[in-house]
Amino acid sequence: MAAKLILSMDGAVIKEYPLNKDRMTIGRHAHNDIVIDNLAVSGEHAAVVTILHDSFLEDLDSTNGLAVNGTPTKKHFLQNNDLIEIGKYKLKYLNDQVSQTSPADFEKTMVLRPPPKPAAPKMEKPIEPVSPAPVASDQTSRFVQPPPVASAQVAAVATPPQPAKPAPQEPAHRAAAVQVLTGPNAGKELDLVKNLTTLGKPGLQVAVLTRRPNGYFITYVEGEHYPLVNGTALGNQPHQLNDHDVIELAGVKMEFYFKG
């Protein structure tokens, strides 16, 4: 049975919602996957991210908050029969699949602090000339600092796929890591030893890195804007990561790479 949420109020069941998308939002506005038309519910109140057999609940900085099993929470690893409370409404989580993930894997988010923003005058000077070439080169130099980002991007272009390891499922069995390229944590490496690793800054921007049988994926969890991979914004769907992909999340750049 696929995981699902059962919406009820005062003991009366209103509707069942199968968790058949990687990310589903709960809120008052009509664009949400689960719409609760009540003024006590924020426009986008919460999100449920489902990866394989696991689901994770995030409060999207709602006005009135939410609780799980009577305990107020901002982030929760959902387990069978958990009861989510939003105002007078209740959402019961049902899932008979055996989880392969520990709740601690989701609770320990690697907090990323963005670097100081560059001074505005330095940004405007090269825009004055009409010639497009200086603008492009300056924008590139500011966008990819410190230098390790540029080297990572060059490596991604210059290094051909390894012909000796062609098996499509092989990446999931290789050790992988993320190296922070900018900000106070620049140079820090995080080995992706768990099936699920959360990155970002809660309340600002959070994404989940997951290890699946066919490789490593990044999934958007919360934030006003989608994270970037190689300068392209993610959508709501998981995105498979390739060796030396550059991720921009919560104002910080980091490089995903396979080890060894």
Side-chain angles (χ1 to χ4, degrees), residues 61-89:
D61 199 23
S62 63
T63 302
N64 295 319
L66 55 80
V68 177
N69 303 326
T71 302
T73 184
K74 294 289 289 182
K75 182 169 57 175
H76 182 77
F77 175 83
L78 289 168
Q79 296 175 290
N80 192 35
N81 290 316
D82 274 351
L83 195 63
I84 305 165
E85 300 170 59
I86 301 177
K88 295 180 179 179
Y89 292 83

Side-chain angles (χ1 to χ4, degrees), residues 17-252:
Y17 296 91
L19 298 177
N20 51 14
K21 293 171 61 177
D22 289 285
R23 185 176 186 271
M24 296 180 67
T25 56
I26 305 166
R28 191 177 71 254
H29 293 161
H31 68 264
N32 289 286
D33 300 287
I34 301 175
V35 178
I36 303 177
D37 190 10
N38 186 282
L39 291 177
V41 180
S42 296
E44 279 197 3
H45 201 102
V48 176
V49 175
T50 300
I51 301 170
L52 300 179
H53 300 313
D54 299 322
S55 295
F56 313 92
L57 175 71
E58 283 266 359
D59 186 327
L60 299 181
D61 199 23
S62 63
T63 302
N64 295 319
L66 55 80
V68 177
N69 303 326
T71 302
T73 184
K74 294 289 289 182
K75 182 169 57 175
H76 182 77
F77 175 83
L78 289 168
Q79 296 175 290
N80 192 35
N81 290 316
D82 274 351
L83 195 63
I84 305 165
E85 300 170 59
I86 301 177
K88 295 180 179 179
Y89 292 83
K90 291 180 172 60
L91 285 157
K92 188 171 186 178
Y93 175 75
L94 295 177
N95 185 5
D96 62 359
Q97 299 292 323
V98 178
S99 172
Q100 300 297 318
T101 304
S102 162
D105 293 347
F106 186 63
E107 293 302 325
K108 295 177 181 177
T109 302
M110 180 181 176
V111 177
L112 303 169
R113 292 181 174 82
K117 292 184 179 179
K122 193 174 181 180
M123 185 172 145
E124 292 174 359
K125 281 181 182 178
I127 300 177
E128 292 175 6
V130 178
S131 172
V135 177
S137 62
D138 180 73
Q139 288 176 338
T140 302
S141 64
R142 285 187 296 101
F143 184 75
V144 291
Q145 66 177 40
V149 181
S151 63
Q153 290 175 333
V154 170
V157 175
T159 306
Q162 297 295 327
K165 301 176 181 179
Q169 291 190 346
E170 189 266 343
H173 302 289
R174 293 175 64 186
V178 167
Q179 181 179 29
V180 180
L181 301 174
T182 61
N185 293 322
K188 182 176 180 181
E189 291 187 5
L190 176 67
D191 290 332
L192 303 177
V193 295
K194 298 180 180 294
N195 288 334
L196 185 148
T197 304
T198 51
L199 298 172
K201 188 172 182 181
L204 176 63
Q205 199 174 46
V206 175
V208 177
L209 299 184
T210 54
R211 181 173 59 187
R212 301 187 182 186
N214 57 333
Y216 291 81
F217 290 77
I218 180 171
T219 305
Y220 162 77
V221 173
E222 71 162 308
E224 185 177 350
H225 303 290
Y226 292 119
L228 305 179
V229 176
N230 300 328
T232 302
L234 295 176
N236 284 329
Q237 300 303 312
H239 175 84
Q240 186 166 11
L241 291 168
N242 297 311
D243 200 16
H244 297 299
D245 274 353
V246 175
I247 303 165
E248 185 172 358
L249 177 68
V252 174

